[in-house]
Amino acid sequence: MALIPVDCRQIAAVVIHMEMDRQARPKPSPLLSSPLRLSRWKAPDPAKYRLLFRRVGEPWLWFSRLVLDDATLRSITDDQQVEIYAILDPKGIEVGLLELDFRKARQCEIAFLALVPQLTGQGLGSWLMKQTLMLGW
């Protein structure tokens, strides 16, 4: 990855792009145990969606969904080919976001995937990535 100087009045953004050929399904591996669980959100309320988006994305300067008006955001989140999951802790508190976009034929884009910063370093990201790959296939 190249390092590119950024003017002090700007903020740099790094987008990680990973591609897996859907023809070559990964070999199954044992699921890791986790205190977290996924909860599917169908057509979430824009305010609720933005709240979770902010909670997990603010440290990474996520802003793309925050600048959309409600109608534009709903055109994405209400689409039946977009799957949104809140990641819940054992108390039912939303501590992460997973969004999969199947709108392009034969493709699954991991649009957003993150846990709140307080969960960093606990091995929960591995569990979440395995869940994500299973859902994407």
Side-chain angles (χ1 to χ4, degrees), residues 53-68:
F53 187 89
R54 229 183 238 108
R55 188 178 308 147
V56 299
E58 198 165 57
W60 313 113
L61 305 177
W62 289 5
F63 67 90
S64 59
R65 297 294 169 83
L66 302 176
V67 297
L68 300 177

Side-chain angles (χ1 to χ4, degrees), residues 8-132:
C8 66
R9 296 167 293 173
Q10 297 177 325
I11 296 175
V14 176
V15 176
I16 298 171
H17 179 84
M18 175 177 86
E19 186 172 323
M20 294 178 69
D21 183 344
R22 285 197 72 174
Q23 301 299 325
R25 184 182 189 107
K27 292 181 182 177
S29 61
L31 278 180
L32 305 169
S33 65
S34 172
L36 304 179
R37 64 184 172 87
L38 298 176
S39 174
R40 176 85 187 268
W41 277 4
K42 292 186 179 182
D45 173 71
K48 185 175 181 179
Y49 176 91
R50 286 188 188 99
L51 180 66
L52 182 57
F53 187 89
R54 229 183 238 108
R55 188 178 308 147
V56 299
E58 198 165 57
W60 313 113
L61 305 177
W62 289 5
F63 67 90
S64 59
R65 297 294 169 83
L66 302 176
V67 297
L68 300 177
D69 61 54
D70 284 358
T72 305
L73 180 58
R74 280 189 185 275
S75 73
I76 299 166
T77 60
D78 291 5
D79 192 305
Q80 291 187 9
Q81 294 181 313
V82 174
E83 295 183 9
I84 299 169
Y85 297 86
I87 294 96
L88 306 177
D89 73 3
K91 295 179 182 177
I93 297 170
E94 294 146 353
V95 294
L97 174 69
L98 166 60
E99 185 174 321
L100 301 173
D101 187 339
F102 294 94
R103 292 179 291 177
K104 290 184 183 172
R106 300 176 39 90
Q107 291 185 21
C108 172
E109 177 184 348
I110 302 171
F112 296 99
L113 173 66
L115 295 169
V116 293
Q118 298 85 336
L119 297 180
T120 301
Q122 299 180 32
L124 299 170
S126 296
W127 170 84
L128 181 54
M129 182 53 83
K130 284 184 186 260
Q131 297 289 326
T132 301

